[in-house]
Amino acid sequence: MAADIRRLKEKLAIIEDLRGASSVLSWDQETYLPPDGIEARASQLATLERVIHERFTSDEIGELIEEAEAEIQAEVQAEVQAEVRADGPAEAGLEADAGLIRVVRREYDRSTSLPVEHVVRFAETTARAMPAWNRARSESDFQLFRPHLEAIVDLCREKAEAIGYTNEPYDALLDEFEPGMTTADVEREFLDLRSRLVPIVDAIAEKEAPSAEVLHQTFDEVKQWDFGLDVIRDFGFDFDRGRQDHSAHPFTIHFASTDVRITTRVDKLFFSPGFFGTLHAAGHGMYEQGVAGELARTPLAHGSSLGMHESQSRLWENQVGRSRQFWTRYYPDLQALFPAELADVDGESFYRAVNRVQPSLIRVEADEVTYNLHVMLRFELERALITGDLLVKDLPSAWNEKMEAYLGLRPGNDAEGVLQDIHWSMGALGYFPTYSLGTLMSSQIFDTAQKELPDLSEEIGRGHFNHLLGWLQENIYRHGRIYTSQDLLERVTGSKLDSSHWLAYIRSKFGGIYGDLP
Ligand code: ZN
């Protein structure tokens, strides 16, 4: 390895350690921190963030990146001329170094293009906006949140101008979460998807829905928790390299690929959130655990993008965990655990209950079929806020109109409408599209897995997941961030993002429950 790249990696390793330490503090804040520790924790985290930012945006790092870029280019040219490619895993070679430089260059340019004054204002504004959003939501009063959101939209516009973009400011915001994707890409994808999805949603609405009553009973919380753990242990979540804890807002966080934390919230009166939340988090967690050891202590030791990450949580949660084969294997176990509650319910009825389609107001409670419509609505609204076509004061009514147009429902108040998600209060405009991109990718990837693992369905029916996990590790997880999500998807599946995979999955699965779908 060339000298400059080695020196750059040494510097980045220290920054990664600091980031890992900061993540431990954040995780603790959301799980075990006693209430009086909040102030002290906030200053500890702020100090670490400042140290990380100063180290990462230093001139020295900038110079090392520049020198490393020249070295990489020379090495790539030498390889091309020699017409040979080094053997061995990508994680140890030139491709990994090239990926590292791509990731670090992008992050460095983004971080240094923002004046420190802007970064501080952004942090202060969102720190005040989050409690305001919480209050506004509990009182269902958008006006309490409105001035904060106006400030955030202004700051996001400023940020986009400072960072730069190809066609429109929203590009710069989206790029933070899904590098390489543009607003135009997302728009094209979503327009096409919506035109093909709405007839399916309409057709399902005409048919008789299976009952989901069985899921709404009193389920002992400890038993729910343990059942979820048993299943993700079968999936292959490695408890020597991770653990699950309780938190109000479920999340996955990585200190190192050898230490990945997931959290879940269990509802005593409703089976689905805790159980499927556990599967979802485990999908995120296994991705982080599967990153190759060679990438440890580098910025490559994470999932490729938020969209690719979401594809993995959704694949395990939905393609696996909501499949008929899965419940053939696990329903008898669940029934044995809750004999009184599930005595009169057969496996097929339970499978239909967990796949009931019902347009609803709340995104996080949405079924697989209608979920993407919730995301499209948010994408269109936040994009319009950034272009200035929509003013924050008009947001609640715009929200309600779109809900009615897309899902046929009108929120009765702001809490079940425009105030339901935390993202805007965090300043995370540009984040929502990754949920749908991930959902679409999950089907495309699972289709390829099924082609390459012909016994996959039958294996899921026996609770054997090692081939699937091994395949995902080999093709996706171990690469970390070496490739962009678009490149990785193409490498794995042979084609660019294509929503027809997901639509075919929806048609076939829900056609099996509801009868033929358009
Ligand atoms: Zn997720």
Side-chain angles (χ1 to χ4, degrees):
M1 195 194 323
D4 291 318
I5 295 179
R6 199 170 56 235
R7 273 175 51 224
L8 177 64
K9 282 184 178 172
E10 286 166 8
K11 300 274 172 203
L12 293 173
I14 294 171
I15 294 172
E16 281 304 300
D17 288 346
L18 289 167
R19 283 182 177 152
S22 167
S23 297
V24 178
L25 295 185
S26 300
W27 167 81
D28 177 71
Q29 186 177 36
E30 303 291 325
T31 49
Y32 295 109
L33 185 73
D36 286 358
I38 291 174
E39 279 295 315
R41 181 57 47 86
S43 54
Q44 290 154 359
L45 278 167
T47 298
L48 266 177
E49 288 310 311
R50 194 172 56 242
V51 171
I52 291 166
H53 184 79
E54 281 166 5
R55 277 186 172 257
F56 184 66
T57 55
S58 69
D59 292 343
E60 192 189 9
I61 294 274
E63 282 154 25
L64 283 172
I65 294 173
E66 223 165 277
E67 284 152 12
E69 278 170 339
E71 284 176 1
I72 293 281
Q73 230 171 8
E75 280 185 48
V76 170
Q77 258 161 16
E79 249 191 20
V80 171
Q81 272 164 12
E83 287 179 11
V84 287
R85 297 201 66 176
D87 287 336
E91 293 79 43
L94 185 55
E95 255 182 315
D97 284 347
L100 178 76
I101 298 303
R102 185 196 82 246
V103 166
V104 176
R105 160 60 72 197
R106 174 181 163 279
E107 228 178 288
Y108 184 82
D109 287 349
R110 284 183 73 98
S111 305
T112 52
S113 64
L114 292 169
V116 177
E117 172 268 333
H118 172 93
V119 176
V120 171
R121 257 194 308 136
F122 203 95
E124 285 170 353
T125 306
T126 52
R128 278 195 293 267
M130 278 199 275
W133 164 76
N134 243 318
R135 219 186 108 209
R137 191 174 64 146
S138 63
E139 296 182 22
S140 190
D141 182 359
F142 181 74
Q143 291 308 323
L144 296 174
F145 181 50
R146 177 182 152 186
H148 298 275
L149 186 56
E150 282 169 345
I152 284 171
V153 169
D154 286 346
L155 280 167
C156 284
R157 283 217 200 99
E158 254 179 54
K159 182 168 148 183
E161 292 304 328
I163 289 169
Y165 49 83
T166 332
N167 291 315
E168 61 176 271
Y170 189 84
D171 287 339
L173 306 179
L174 176 67
D175 189 76
E176 179 173 348
F177 305 106
E178 200 62 27
M181 267 276 167
T182 67
T183 314
D185 294 334
V186 172
E187 183 184 33
R188 195 174 46 247
E189 209 57 61
F190 283 8
L191 279 178
D192 172 60
L193 180 61
R194 200 172 74 219
S195 68
R196 296 197 277 167
L197 179 57
V198 168
I200 297 177
V201 174
D202 290 347
I204 289 178
E206 308 261 293
K207 311 207 177 191
E208 199 185 329
S211 163
E213 261 171 52
V214 58
L215 304 169
H216 298 271
Q217 305 184 68
T218 305
F219 292 103
D220 179 81
E221 286 157 295
V222 176
K223 283 191 198 170
Q224 282 196 58
W225 183 265
D226 291 344
F227 180 64
L229 288 189
D230 285 346
V231 170
I232 65 173
R233 193 173 285 118
D234 288 355
F235 278 0
F237 182 87
D238 185 348
F239 285 91
D240 288 332
R241 298 155 67 108
R243 51 177 286 139
Q244 176 172 258
D245 294 87
H246 294 269
S247 76
H249 302 284
F251 63 94
T252 303
I253 198 161
H254 142 287
F255 310 152
S257 63
T258 47
D259 189 354
V260 177
R261 308 300 175 95
I262 61 177
T263 71
T264 300
R265 177 186 52 208
V266 173
D267 185 338
K268 197 175 176 179
L269 300 173
F270 186 16
F271 174 77
S272 297
F275 181 68
F276 292 107
T278 296
L279 307 193
H280 185 96
H284 281 303
M286 290 188 290
Y287 190 172
E288 295 286 338
Q289 289 182 334
V291 174
E294 288 89 344
L295 304 180
R297 298 180 78 216
T298 77
L300 297 181
H302 302 266
S304 170
S305 73
L306 283 185
M308 187 56 79
H309 234 297
E310 194 67 6
S311 77
Q312 295 311 299
S313 56
R314 298 219 153 241
L315 186 150
W316 288 101
E317 177 193 350
N318 294 332
Q319 264 89 0
V320 176
R322 287 184 207 264
S323 67
R324 187 177 262 121
Q325 305 89 291
F326 175 87
W327 286 108
T328 304
R329 161 66 187 79
Y330 285 97
Y331 187 65
D333 291 2
L334 188 67
Q335 220 174 9
L337 205 55
F338 296 105
E341 293 81 358
L342 302 178
D344 302 330
V345 181
D346 60 52
E348 178 65 18
S349 304
F350 191 83
Y351 163 72
R352 287 166 178 258
V354 300
N355 285 297
R356 180 176 204 246
V357 178
Q358 177 76 52
S360 64
L361 294 167
I362 307 293
R363 176 184 61 87
V364 296
E365 291 167 9
D367 57 78
E368 282 186 81
V369 179
T370 57
Y371 184 81
N372 286 318
L373 295 172
H374 290 262
V375 175
M376 289 172 199
L377 168 150
R378 286 155 178 77
F379 162 68
E380 287 164 21
L381 292 176
E382 64 181 14
R383 181 187 182 193
L385 288 174
I386 295 300
T387 56
D389 291 337
L390 176 64
L391 297 175
V392 171
K393 75 175 173 65
D394 300 324
L395 184 60
S397 54
W399 179 289
N400 294 347
E401 273 156 35
K402 272 201 197 291
M403 271 308 284
E404 190 144 26
Y406 291 1
L407 287 146
L409 298 167
R410 205 171 175 91
N413 56 54
D414 293 341
E416 56 183 33
V418 66
L419 289 172
Q420 63 182 270
D421 290 312
I422 195 172
H423 304 62
W424 289 339
S425 75
M426 298 161 65
L429 281 81
Y431 189 124
F432 281 120
T434 68
Y435 289 132
S436 280
L437 295 172
T439 303
L440 301 179
M441 285 186 220
S442 72
S443 277
Q444 192 168 335
I445 291 167
F446 196 71
D447 278 356
T448 309
Q450 275 184 312
K451 239 178 264 158
E452 295 183 16
L453 304 170
D455 297 330
L456 182 54
S457 263
E458 187 254 334
E459 287 178 355
I460 292 174
R462 285 188 288 125
H464 291 185
F465 304 102
N466 56 334
H467 287 147
L468 175 61
L469 180 61
W471 187 87
L472 292 167
Q473 269 166 345
E474 178 63 23
N475 289 290
I476 297 175
Y477 302 172
R478 69 184 175 94
H479 299 308
R481 289 166 82 188
I482 293 178
Y483 310 109
T484 64
S485 63
Q486 298 92 325
D487 286 349
L488 185 56
L489 186 70
E490 209 170 336
R491 282 175 68 97
V492 177
T493 68
S495 60
K496 292 189 189 315
L497 183 63
D498 177 358
S499 59
S500 58
H501 292 272
W502 183 77
L503 283 158
Y505 158 72
I506 289 295
R507 261 186 216 110
S508 139
K509 175 176 175 176
F510 292 91
I513 297 173
Y514 284 89
D516 283 346
L517 296 172

